[in-house]
Amino acid sequence: MTTGGRQLTSILDAPGAPPDCDLFGLWNEELSERLSDFGLLKYRIRQLETALYRQKVSDIRQVTTWPKELREQVAAAGFRVGLPEIVETFRSVDGTERYLIAGQDGQTVETVWMPEGDGGDNGDFQGSGDQDAGDEDGAYDSDAVVSKKNRTRATICVSSQIGCAVHCQFCLTAKLGIIRNLTAGEIAGQVAAVLKKHEAEPGRDRINLVFMGMGEPFLNYDAFMAAVRLLAGPMEIPESRMTVSTSGIVPGILRFAQEKVRPKLAISLNAPNDAVREAIMPVTRKWSIAEVIDAVRQVPLRQRERVTFEYVLLGGVNDRPEHADEVVKLVRRAQFPAKVNLIAWNPGPGVPFTMPDAGDVARFQARLREQRVPAFVRRPRGRDIYAACGQLKKTGSGR
Ligand code: SF4
């Protein structure tokens, strides 16, 4: 079984991150254990958590609730905060920002800030005028960066791996191959670094997270879910504001179905049937669409929760009316509450597809809606800075 010439089994064991003394990413017992030599009482651990995850300090010496001597001792023992650092920022005309964020080993990963939402699960949709364009608490309030309640409203697109091994043919990230997995601290750290830059606070501001950046989260499952627990725990971002997208890694979906705390689920479908999907997503040879849908059926959905099918429209490949009809059948057969997010493919150098015609996108959406399948067109964000879906490739200004 290969994905574009690679052994598919090899994508399951991407290299891990190098061991280090970073404290960011640990909490509760993990922190106590890591710092056991110092015999810290529980309240000292709580003070450290507040410094790490609320104040987002970048140096142990900034944990001012600790006595100076303790800070010096912990720092002298080689421990460091380990909050990833934004090393380069690219700003789009639409306000979207793409960052290169560096870990301790100097490897960079990409993270995207979309000031008024991602136009996806709960966000703003192209001319939809649809009720679903509001977020789940009904508080959707126009394209303002800061709402009338003076709350920042933004979506952060987070990466889970450096590069990706899934090899979707339409995706620029795939061209990197897999470089390594990110740790839980590096995944949650992207969020902390971006929140810190924008002085945004999850308790006050409306921050959504989408795990749709570089990498396949379910091929770095343990670190990804540890990051989710950290984000939903001490970083106080409700799980209902998080969405994870998978290319359809069945064992990952089955594990996900058992989780007590979990984001909402999106399946990167992108094709009306296995034949088309195999051509653009070789992972389909390992797990068919039917097998993916069977696995998703095991996920106990919360009240009003729907599974999202992400569908990247590629000109002439998967955007025909008959393809829309097949998608309708597929969603009906799934027998769980679902909706379809349509994304016009974002071009990238060396990726052999064409953008769909705007009329075809509108017709595709209309065809789904006529047959009572909720379908939304996601507004492309940050195309001019290569920040849009499928465009992340760990690069600087040049491509
Ligand atoms: S679309 Fe997602 S899963 Fe597919 S290659 Fe790109 S990053 Fe990986």
Side-chain angles (χ1 to χ4, degrees), residues 233-287:
M235 290 183 69
E236 298 183 13
I237 300 177
E239 62 194 286
S240 61
R241 293 211 175 278
M242 305 181 198
T243 303
V244 61
S245 174
T246 177
S247 59
I249 307 296
V250 166
I253 298 170
L254 293 174
R255 286 184 72 185
F256 190 73
Q258 309 295 320
E259 300 288 352
K260 287 198 173 63
V261 175
R262 62 161 179 83
K264 290 178 284 189
L265 182 63
I267 301 296
S268 187
L269 179 66
N270 309 321
N273 56 53
D274 283 339
V276 174
R277 198 169 190 265
E278 266 186 42
I280 58 174
M281 295 181 70
V283 69
T284 313
R285 287 186 224 132
K286 178 80 175 167
W287 296 292

Side-chain angles (χ1 to χ4, degrees), residues 164 166-168 170-171 173-174 213-216 247:
C164 187
V166 177
H167 217 80
C168 303
F170 51 83
C171 174
T173 308
M214 298 169 83
E216 163 54 78
S247 59

